[in-house]
Amino acid sequence: MTGYLKHFLILLVTVALIALFLRQADLSAVGRELARAHPSGILLALLASVGTFVFRTFRWQYLLLPIGQVPFGPALRATVIGFGANAMLPGRVGEVLRPYLLARKVHLDPTATFATIVLERALDIITLLILFALSVSLLDAGFAVNDGQMLRAVQFGGLIAAAAALGGLGVAFLFAGHAERVGLVTERLTRRLPARVGRLATKVVAAFGQGFAVLRTPAALALAFGWSVAVWLSIGLTTWAMAWAFALPLTFAGTFTVLMFMAVGVSVPTPGAVGAFHESVRLALTSLYAADNDRAVAYAVALHALSFIPVSLATLVFIAREGLTLRRIEDITRTGAPPSGVRHLEGSQAR
């Protein structure tokens, strides 16, 4: 019953967000906006989206260096499968699946590999917050807000976001540089717990220390951050190119405000971010950039399709070549081990 209730609530939230997204839309006008979209902008957005996965893979290879050398091909396939699984399956299973598949393919420690995903997400949040802060404080974000108080609130939020992001980056750096000390503290704190729990906690902290090891010097931290900037500039280019295709009044700097809205929206656990993605993008464009509502709706639909359909199709191809199915992927992420009969990634040849 708990599982049915959870799925019912997710469905209810999804339907409510879709209704909110479409409540003022003229669907015939939305269709005309989609038909008028400039193909060159869509093509540029698609190429930039592909580039994002390439940059993500390069960054992941770099973060994995303290654990082991990882070839580009397996890392790229695991990255695509992970994001595709997030697009097609509930619960963001791709965050667990991606390190699991790569660890089995190239014989890495699974927990340390998963720690690099946690580090990736931290770097993503920090980088987006900093780019958002720069865009609303120093660059021309192209705001068309009549309410000066609202604009000042957004700019103040950007400064707070930058401070929080830099603080988070400092915490990650300190943890990476003092992982052994954190491990000792963990061991002392867990002495009163059952022995098995204490050993597990200590082991996990040690593995995360290994996964964060790439940040142990300022130069390494700067390089990891540099790769993250490349990732988000590519995402920003995708967002801006699609806005250009729809003739929307969105500057390149302004894309990071839209991406902040989108990041908050997709945290709502709807299937494939349907509804949450769309409404967050529409709200950002209409409230901060005075975009026409029907054009903003069409843009949100097209951007979501570009963000989810190609990676989902590529994922289906990759998992078919590896002898996997979506059901088996769900089993892997639920049990932590592949079901019988699955042809493991480590048994397949790089293609």
Side-chain angles (χ1 to χ4, degrees):
M1 287 300 297
T2 302
Y4 285 122
L5 179 60
K6 176 183 175 182
H7 291 307
F8 173 75
L9 290 175
I10 290 175
L11 178 62
L12 189 64
V13 170
T14 303
V15 171
L17 286 169
I18 293 174
L20 185 65
F21 172 63
L22 296 175
R23 74 189 187 284
Q24 296 177 343
D26 179 344
L27 295 184
S28 61
V30 171
R32 289 193 295 271
E33 293 291 349
L34 287 169
R36 283 199 294 260
H38 201 292
S40 297
I42 296 174
L43 178 60
L44 177 58
L46 179 60
L47 292 175
S49 180
V50 172
T52 299
F53 283 97
V54 173
F55 288 132
R56 284 191 182 280
T57 303
F58 283 143
R59 180 181 64 176
W60 198 20
Q61 284 182 293
Y62 177 71
L63 297 180
L64 287 164
L65 279 177
I67 305 171
Q69 292 277 352
V70 176
F72 179 82
L76 176 63
R77 285 197 296 275
T79 298
V80 170
I81 291 173
F83 279 88
N86 281 341
M88 292 183 286
L89 298 172
R92 301 193 66 83
V93 298
E95 308 294 6
V96 177
L97 179 66
R98 179 155 69 108
Y100 173 84
L101 294 179
L102 184 67
R104 294 189 68 84
K105 173 67 178 177
V106 297
H107 308 293
L108 301 176
D109 177 78
T111 307
T113 307
F114 177 73
T116 64
I117 303 300
V118 176
L119 178 57
E120 263 195 3
R121 289 295 158 266
L123 287 171
D124 278 338
I125 294 171
I126 290 165
T127 306
L128 177 57
L129 287 173
I130 290 175
L131 290 173
F132 166 65
L134 288 174
S135 72
V136 301
S137 302
L138 301 177
L139 305 176
D140 179 15
F143 289 135
V145 181
N146 294 324
D147 186 347
Q149 186 174 359
M150 179 181 178
L151 180 58
R152 286 191 295 274
V154 171
Q155 291 173 332
F156 179 73
L159 294 175
I160 296 299
L166 292 174
L169 199 61
V171 169
F173 179 67
L174 290 174
F175 176 71
H178 300 87
E180 295 82 2
R181 186 177 299 175
V182 174
L184 291 174
V185 171
T186 303
E187 189 175 352
R188 284 198 294 268
L189 292 175
T190 57
R191 282 176 182 171
R192 295 181 179 275
L193 298 176
R196 177 186 291 184
V197 175
R199 286 195 299 269
L200 178 61
T202 303
K203 181 180 178 181
V204 169
V205 169
F208 269 68
Q210 186 182 5
F212 278 44
V214 75
L215 302 183
R216 287 181 179 172
T217 66
L221 176 63
L223 189 54
F225 180 68
W227 278 118
S228 297
V229 170
V231 167
W232 281 96
L233 289 178
S234 183
I235 296 173
L237 179 58
T238 301
T239 309
W240 175 83
M242 189 64 83
W244 171 52
F246 282 85
L248 282 165
L250 184 64
T251 66
F252 181 76
T255 62
F256 299 106
T257 302
V258 175
L259 289 171
M260 274 300 303
F261 273 68
M262 190 190 305
V264 174
V266 299
S267 64
V268 180
T270 59
V274 171
F277 180 105
H278 299 83
E279 176 57 15
S280 62
V281 171
R282 187 204 66 81
L283 181 63
L285 290 173
T286 55
S287 63
L288 294 177
Y289 298 96
D292 175 77
N293 186 74
D294 293 327
R295 187 171 296 181
V297 168
Y299 170 81
V301 169
L303 184 61
H304 181 270
L306 183 84
S307 302
F308 285 82
I309 292 177
V311 70
S312 298
L313 293 175
T315 296
L316 292 174
V317 172
F318 284 147
I319 65 175
R321 293 175 66 181
E322 301 298 346
L324 296 168
T325 65
L326 292 178
R327 176 58 61 86
R328 288 175 174 178
I329 283 175
E330 286 187 292
D331 291 338
I332 289 173
T333 55
R334 184 170 57 250
T335 64
S340 59
V342 173
R343 180 160 49 89
H344 299 322
L345 281 179
E346 71 269 22
S348 63
Q349 298 298 318
R351 299 178 176 90

